[in-house]
């Protein structure tokens, strides 16, 4: 039996039938991830603390209500936190999180190229889109780290790893949109994550990007988590590490 499988594999390489299957395989892969995402959010539905599903029209600003809710629910406004945001752009969500926590020893780090997306995202957003001047910062607890995460995160963690582990809580906001950026950041942060830490996703329900990255991260690193909140039909979600 095993021998037959080997012969079949070799035949497929030799015959190049793949060229006929490939376009369908790509489509099927996409449909497969859509299915996984729908099944997953249906599971979450039963346990979420906040969920606005179903709504006809999404309102992007409603994510702010979700941030407020999580901070109130878990009394995060005075805790010593380290907040890491992956994908800052013009600083909208970064500034919001600065207002949510008043502990003077908390630290906030925002990572971005500030030169836009390093690759195309889906069919509508092109490499270089979402480029911004580095926004001004008026809070001395906060700092922006300019560059590709793939270049900046290792040196950051070497420098600030201790600060990260000694905080009461780590809050990670994944808002880079891309699969590559999200899986990279989560994988490097794995050794620093502890029970009770909170992850926010800004485009969770995009099947081939943030959804796929979180699924692979939690499965491959055996990370247990619970879903907390969802707004805009699961577009923005939060999770707690268990
Ligand atoms: C949707 S925007 C962030 C929006 C922002 N959090 C807000 O609420 O206004 C996504 C950002 O991720 C950044 N980004 C994506 N992949 C990156 C990577 N690998 N390294 C650095 N920045 C990246 C892009 O430059 C872009 O500014």
């Amino acid at each position: 039996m095993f021998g037959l499988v080997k012969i079949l594999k070799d035949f497929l390489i030799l015959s190049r039938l793949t060229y006929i299957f490939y376009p369908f395989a790509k489509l099927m892969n996409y449909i497969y991830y859509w299915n996984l995402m729908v099944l997953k959010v249906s599971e979450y539905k039963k346990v979420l603390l906040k969920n606005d599903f179903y709504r006809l029209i999404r309102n992007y600003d409603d994510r702010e209500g979700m941030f407020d809710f999580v901070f109130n629910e878990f009394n995060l406004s005075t805790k010593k936190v380290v907040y890491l945001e992956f994908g800052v752009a013009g600083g909208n969500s970064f500034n919001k999180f600065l207002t949510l926590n008043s502990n003077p020893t908390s630290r906030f780090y925002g990572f971005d190229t500030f030169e836009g997306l390093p690759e195309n995202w889906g069919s509508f957003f092109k490499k270089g889109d979402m480029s911004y001047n580095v926004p001004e910062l008026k809070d001395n607890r906060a700092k922006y780290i300019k560059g590709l995460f793939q270049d900046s995160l290792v040196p950051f963690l070497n420098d600030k790893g201790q600060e990260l582990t000694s905080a009461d809580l780590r809050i990670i906001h994944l808002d880079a949109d891309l699969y590559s950026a999200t899986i990279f950041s989560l994988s490097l942060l794995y050794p620093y994550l502890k029970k009770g830490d909170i992850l926010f996703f800004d485009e969770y329900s995009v099947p081939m990007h943030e959804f796929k990255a979180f699924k692979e991260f939690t499965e491959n690193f055996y990370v247990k988590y619970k879903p907390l909140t969802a707004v805009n039909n699961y577009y923005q979600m939060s999770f707690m590490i268990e």
Side-chain angles (χ1 to χ4, degrees), residues 44-51 227-230 234 237-238:
Y44 295 159
K45 227 195 250 175
K46 301 161 207 148
V47 294
L48 285 167
L49 302 173
K50 178 182 166 75
N51 185 5
L228 301 176
T229 58
Y234 305 100
M237 283 201 69
S238 68

Side-chain angles (χ1 to χ4, degrees), residues 60 63 85-94 111-118 129-132 147-150 173 175-178 180-181 202-203:
Y60 196 64
R63 67 180 182 159
E85 181 168 291
F86 293 91
V88 172
N92 283 340
S93 51
F94 194 82
F111 298 79
D112 205 302
T113 57
F114 296 106
E115 289 167 7
L117 294 169
D129 284 355
M130 308 185 201
S131 163
Y132 282 84
L148 271 178
F149 310 153
Q150 286 84 341
H173 189 189
D175 191 5
D177 304 343
L178 298 168
S180 58
D202 206 60
E203 278 78 21

